[in-house]
Amino acid sequence: MQNARIRPAPYTALVTNLIFPLHERVKQHRSVAVRKQLEESQYWPEERLRDLQLQRLRRLLARAGTSVPYFRDLFAQIGFDPARDVRSLDDLARLPLMDKSVIRANVDRLKADDAVGLARFNTGGSSGEPLIFYIGKERVSHDVAAKWRATRWWNVDIGDPEIVVWGSPIELGAQDRVRALRDLLLRTHLLPAFEMSAAKLDGFVARIRAHKPRMLFGYPSALSHIARHARARGQRMDDLGIRVAFVTSERLYDEQRTQISDTFGCPVANGYGGRDAGFIAHQCPEGGMHITAEDIVVEILDPDGKPVPRGQAGEIVVTHLATGDFPFIRYRTGDIGVLGTEQCNCGRGLPLLQEIQGRSTDFLVAQDGTVMHGLALVYILRDLPQVQAFKIVQESLDLTHVQVVLAAPLDAQAFGKLQGQIERGFKARLGAGVVVEVMQVAEIAPEKSGKFRYVVSKVATGSVVA
């Protein structure tokens, strides 16, 4: 069933219907028209959506085979003809998978010969090695429209006051006068996620109260960090009229959802995607994680690259149908997920991601080869009241480092006892021969992007399906 929309405030309506459409027209984006199309197609039955995907897939592959040097050569090498060989979405399996190494080795040859106005982007990645790629205006239009549609599911819109807690240097380095004016007009206020000292957090809480946002947007770790700080300071935050907190770019843990929701007095809407893979899925008020099926084909594959049935876990592989200028075709996200088997109660025909289990690097490998999710160790630490924050780094099958921030100072004897508890718990899961080094730190340092990663494994987990 569709949610009854709250009538927007006059200024929000002005932004939604005039200011932002003018902004997009100046940038030669079709976001407004695409969003209107998406709001109609979201209620189509899944079979009709698959027909649309097939039509768009054929167009994408046809252009890739004629205009993109990398795919032109690949199709010739494997004898693939999009006009002849694509009869269903299953025919995507005829093509090899694409990963970051392919893009790094072919970044210029992945640009379409007829592409104009490409924008250069990069992601830092957990390894710190940047992935450089390009995005055209069609892709931007569709990504903006997909996010915009999902925003409106929650009775907020572009122009409603918004606080964005983000850490990407792309966003934070673009604060020129034009960007500042745009943010002022759209009532968007940006807080840098990689500056999380106590003094900075005091300022963040004050600025959120002053801005009185209708929506929050940011990393779940950053928003929960701010929420926890506000609680510690005895500062109430649930009286501001915030309608929803959108989180993305990291795994959302249950306790983070609870922390954010309870502190800010609003529901938490999970989003899944990336700057490279696109806006893949977003949660609706009924709880379903809806795939942006009009723009993205999602495959769930086992370690051998074979599709797994709905309801079973595998690697999430995406084909973005609006990337003709720089195609992402069968792109490996490195994430583990499960396709849903049921339809959401909201009535949308968009298929569901039933579960997003995290990145393959969020999984750990025991000495005997057993693969487990990082939560197996996370829960050990979260059950210890002495531990306020932590980070687990599996350096090898034989060595795991654990950084802990203490809730209160401990003497040497008490800290030694805590170390013993952690070591015993970890060894019980990873193996008795594993060296577990527990180190006390003043704070957990975020990644360069501002994200916090609780579990990092440097051990290959090639057979991970969880």
Side-chain angles (χ1 to χ4, degrees), residues 135-199:
I135 290 179
K137 295 184 185 301
E138 179 192 21
R139 161 72 185 272
V140 173
S141 297
H142 280 259
D143 283 356
V144 169
K147 180 183 175 185
W148 191 0
R149 172 178 70 176
T151 298
R152 287 163 59 90
W153 292 348
W154 294 87
N155 278 317
V156 289
D157 212 329
I158 293 176
D160 279 321
E162 176 185 30
I163 290 284
V164 176
V165 185
W166 206 243
S168 169
I170 295 174
E171 281 83 3
L172 297 177
Q175 296 298 332
D176 54 19
R177 292 181 180 179
V178 174
R179 177 62 183 263
L181 176 61
R182 194 200 78 162
D183 287 351
L184 180 65
L185 290 173
L186 301 187
R187 297 198 288 187
T188 293
H189 194 69
L190 185 64
L191 303 179
F194 47 64
E195 299 179 16
M196 287 285 183
S197 65

Side-chain angles (χ1 to χ4, degrees), residues 19 22 24 49 52 84 175 187 192 200 253 257 271 279 281 311 326 329 343 353 395 407 434 450 457-458:
I19 295 176
L22 283 175
E24 293 295 271
L49 287 167
L52 174 63
R84 179 193 66 215
Q175 296 298 332
R187 297 198 288 187
K200 288 287 185 182
Y253 293 96
R257 183 189 288 275
F279 194 99
F326 192 98
I329 298 172
Q343 187 176 16
L353 268 179
E395 301 286 354
V434 174
S457 177
K458 299 180 181 179

Side-chain angles (χ1 to χ4, degrees), residues 213-214 216 227 231 236-245 257-268:
R214 287 292 172 268
L216 305 173
R231 282 289 182 93
R236 184 178 176 184
M237 301 296 285
D238 61 356
D239 58 347
L240 302 177
I242 300 172
R243 292 178 185 162
V244 60
R257 183 189 288 275
T258 300
Q259 179 84 70
I260 295 167
S261 180
D262 288 353
T263 301
F264 294 108
C266 67
V268 177

Side-chain angles (χ1 to χ4, degrees), residues 197-215:
S197 65
K200 288 287 185 182
L201 288 168
D202 284 338
F204 287 179
V205 169
R207 287 157 77 180
I208 292 171
R209 289 200 60 81
H211 196 60
K212 290 184 170 58
R214 287 292 172 268
M215 52 183 159

Side-chain angles (χ1 to χ4, degrees), residues 245-248 250 252 257 268-272 281-283 289 356:
F246 297 109
V247 298
T248 190
E250 296 173 346
L252 172 64
R257 183 189 288 275
V268 177
N270 196 12
Y272 170 61
H282 201 285
Q283 186 176 19
M289 283 289 293
I356 304 163

